[in-house]
Amino acid sequence: MRGFLASSIGVTCAAALALPLTPPAVAATARPVPTTEAATVARPALHAGTPATATTTRRAAEAATPGSTQSLPLEPLTRDRATPSAPATEQGLHRRAVRHFSLVGVVWDDPEAELHGRVQVRTRAADTGTWSGWQDVRTHNADHGADRNTAESASGRVRGATAPLWVGDSDGVELRVRSETGSAEHGSAQHGTGARDLPAAPPLPSGLRLELVDPGDDARPPGAPADGPRTAALAGENSAAEASAVNADLAPLGATEIAALNRAETEREFLALNAGELTEQQLRAKPYVGPRPGIVTRRGWGADEGLRESGFRYTKKIRAAFVHHTASGNNYRCSQVPSLIRSIHRYHVRSMGWRDIGYNFLIDKCGKIYEGRAGGVARPVLGAHTLGFNSNSMGIAVLGSYDTKKPSKAAVKAVARLAAWKLGLYRVNPKGKTYLKSAGSNLHRKGKKVRLNVISGHRDGFITECPGRKLYGKLGSARSKAARYQGR
């Protein structure tokens, strides 16, 4: 792959001049967003308790609104005043009107601290004014992230966080966070002596905040000026050009999608990308690489390239694919996926403090594949998806929650097609085994060489429920399909 890495360096430098300044699907977001964005660029809220009205007219007037994040500090919900020696065990926010948002999450100061308890949220739909029931937010999310002692994890910006939850366009919210001990019920039943014998609920992490993420609109009216200073807009446009240029060997600059290829075309691409690295015998042999699937680029889903850190980070090669679910809920339409991914991107960067979205690829329930972390879809981009095993691997996230719900056949097929192609570029058998060196997780100590399936679930590298029991149960099928796509 070194030939491919070198071939696009020249086009990266010239891309800012060749690429149109305004991406077709994300003109309003192609700019860096200030840290104080919650107070400056979020949409106006309706009055508290007032249902949304004249939605079509209002949305048309707001068509140029960029994405934003409202970050709201939590308050004690009990009458007992919290003190340093007795911190509040229940915090949250009473029902209130807020500016528009579509995704929620809770963050806190210390990324090493855990939230032992339950997080529940209710939201008000912006179009109907109807309040949802209480929805659980996944609290254990530390299994995702950059490996410890890397520049990304040691940046000083990383925070502890729940998984994000997609709620759709909303303008009201209510939240409760309760500290709970996992042994409370067991202890009460066993000893039968009431609350006096229950262990004290652990304290909640400090600095709890509710993050309300507005992904922004897909496009703005033709000719509308970019928000923010021209220098900031240019910085975002240059970053967009940079992100597009690293895929220049696969698609034209500024492409919103990398087209699918048939097997013969993919084999020619394989030989071109691996030029100079294959032996004479390998050049004569038939390559085991699956046909390249269609992939929606970052430009296609409207990434705000001004959010991420500049430049790219790479690992040596791709030896394994870790499959995840985003645990963000299943209440999304496939037409909403660009907005959903923009929301996750903003949550990972602005709220959690990562350098970019953590996953290398994302797949929706309709089977469409999306480029994740910037750096080039054919390259070994270093992600932040499987704590302890980000090196020499890629992370594929299926959008949704799959603990009890089965993933769609289209999504499982897309996992197989993507793995067959990307693993094939690195001459890896998707039905095989591989060894990865652990950078440290709660399942494998740092430095241990761990034998894994080439296509593994997140839970194979970390004690976690991810990618959900139902999706994990489909990985055997994904391995077999991927091998067939490679011609094995």
Side-chain angles (χ1 to χ4, degrees):
M1 297 293 290
R2 284 191 297 271
F4 170 70
L5 295 179
S7 66
S8 56
I9 291 176
V11 295
T12 301
C13 297
L17 298 177
L19 197 62
L21 292 180
T22 304
V26 66
T29 60
R31 60 168 187 80
V33 179
T35 304
T36 56
E37 61 183 350
T40 58
V41 300
R43 299 178 182 177
L46 300 178
H47 295 295
T50 303
T53 57
T55 301
T56 303
T57 302
R58 171 182 52 74
R59 295 289 281 172
E62 294 176 355
T65 303
S68 63
T69 301
Q70 301 169 75
S71 187
L72 309 177
L74 303 195
E75 307 163 351
L77 294 182
T78 57
R79 293 184 177 181
D80 298 330
R81 185 178 295 275
T83 66
S85 59
T89 56
E90 184 173 0
Q91 297 183 37
L93 294 171
H94 294 291
R95 185 182 294 196
R96 65 185 63 193
V98 292
R99 292 181 289 268
H100 283 252
F101 67 96
S102 296
L103 180 140
V104 305
V106 173
V107 300
W108 54 90
D109 294 338
D110 183 1
E112 297 298 324
E114 294 187 31
L115 196 164
H116 296 284
R118 192 174 188 183
V119 176
Q120 293 182 300
V121 66
R122 298 182 66 201
T123 57
R124 184 176 64 186
D127 56 350
T128 65
T130 303
W131 283 89
S132 72
W134 287 105
Q135 300 183 76
D136 286 306
V137 180
R138 180 69 60 89
T139 58
H140 299 294
N141 197 44
D143 47 341
H144 299 80
D147 293 338
R148 294 185 175 93
N149 301 316
T150 61
E152 184 170 0
S153 67
S155 67
R157 299 188 301 272
V158 179
R159 305 178 186 91
T162 68
L165 177 68
W166 175 260
V167 295
D169 189 19
S170 304
D171 60 8
V173 69
E174 183 178 3
L175 178 77
R176 61 191 185 196
V177 179
R178 292 173 176 168
S179 175
E180 296 177 353
T181 174
S183 57
E185 182 178 341
H186 173 74
S188 177
Q190 180 176 356
H191 300 295
T193 56
R196 289 177 301 174
D197 293 328
L198 295 178
L204 293 171
S206 62
L208 287 167
R209 304 182 73 89
L210 173 64
E211 304 288 288
L212 304 175
V213 181
D214 176 6
D217 298 300
D218 289 335
R220 68 178 183 194
D227 291 352
R230 182 59 178 164
T231 53
L234 284 173
E237 289 156 1
N238 289 339
S239 295
E242 180 186 44
S244 181
V246 288
N247 288 318
D249 283 10
L250 310 180
L253 287 173
T256 58
E257 184 167 358
I258 296 170
L261 298 180
N262 61 32
R263 180 173 297 280
E265 292 168 333
T266 302
E267 289 176 359
R268 288 196 293 270
E269 175 191 71
F270 170 84
L271 294 175
L273 296 181
N274 287 276
E277 296 186 27
L278 300 176
T279 65
E280 198 66 33
Q281 183 178 3
Q282 289 173 326
L283 287 170
R284 289 196 301 269
K286 180 180 177 64
Y288 290 110
V289 56
R292 187 180 80 193
I295 302 171
V296 177
T297 65
R298 290 171 64 92
R299 185 176 172 84
W301 55 260
D304 182 349
E305 299 295 354
L307 286 177
R308 66 174 176 84
E309 287 186 12
S310 62
F312 311 111
R313 301 290 182 271
Y314 297 99
T315 185
K316 292 181 180 179
K317 56 169 45 177
I318 301 299
R319 292 179 177 172
F322 284 100
V323 178
H324 304 256
H325 68 171
T326 57
S328 51
N330 302 306
N331 295 324
Y332 69 88
R333 301 187 302 274
C334 290
S335 61
Q336 295 175 312
V337 169
S339 293
L340 172 54
I341 298 177
R342 289 199 303 275
S343 297
I344 294 174
H345 180 212
R346 180 172 287 274
Y347 185 69
H348 282 182
V349 177
R350 278 286 188 252
S351 300
M352 298 179 66
W354 296 357
R355 73 182 316 272
D356 194 358
I357 193 170
Y359 307 112
N360 298 105
F361 297 94
L362 302 99
I363 293 173
D364 67 25
K365 57 189 173 185
C366 293
K368 185 167 286 189
I369 301 169
Y370 299 81
E371 178 183 14
R373 180 163 286 207
V377 297
R379 297 188 181 194
V381 178
L382 180 64
H385 48 82
T386 307
L387 185 65
F389 292 96
N390 290 305
S391 293
N392 297 324
S393 72
M394 65 175 177
I396 303 171
V398 181
L399 293 161
S401 302
Y402 299 102
D403 296 310
T404 58
K405 182 178 178 59
K406 291 182 179 180
S408 67
K409 292 181 180 179
V412 175
K413 181 179 179 180
V415 170
R417 292 176 63 221
L418 174 60
W421 172 69
K422 184 66 178 279
L423 292 171
L425 294 181
Y426 293 85
R427 303 186 291 281
V428 176
N429 183 348
K431 286 190 71 175
K433 305 282 187 178
T434 191
Y435 282 90
L436 294 180
K437 186 177 180 180
S438 172
S441 76
N442 63 359
L443 185 59
H444 301 289
R445 61 174 174 80
K446 183 178 180 179
K448 180 181 179 181
K449 290 186 177 180
V450 182
R451 189 170 185 259
L452 296 161
N453 287 309
V454 166
I455 298 180
S456 283
H458 189 178
R459 62 176 63 183
D460 295 317
F462 199 100
I463 299 175
T464 175
E465 295 179 359
C466 184
R469 181 170 59 89
K470 294 293 187 178
L471 178 54
Y472 188 79
K474 295 294 184 180
L475 296 189
S477 174
R479 295 181 193 109
S480 298
K481 284 185 171 69
R484 288 199 298 272
Y485 289 136
Q486 285 190 349
R488 295 181 187 272

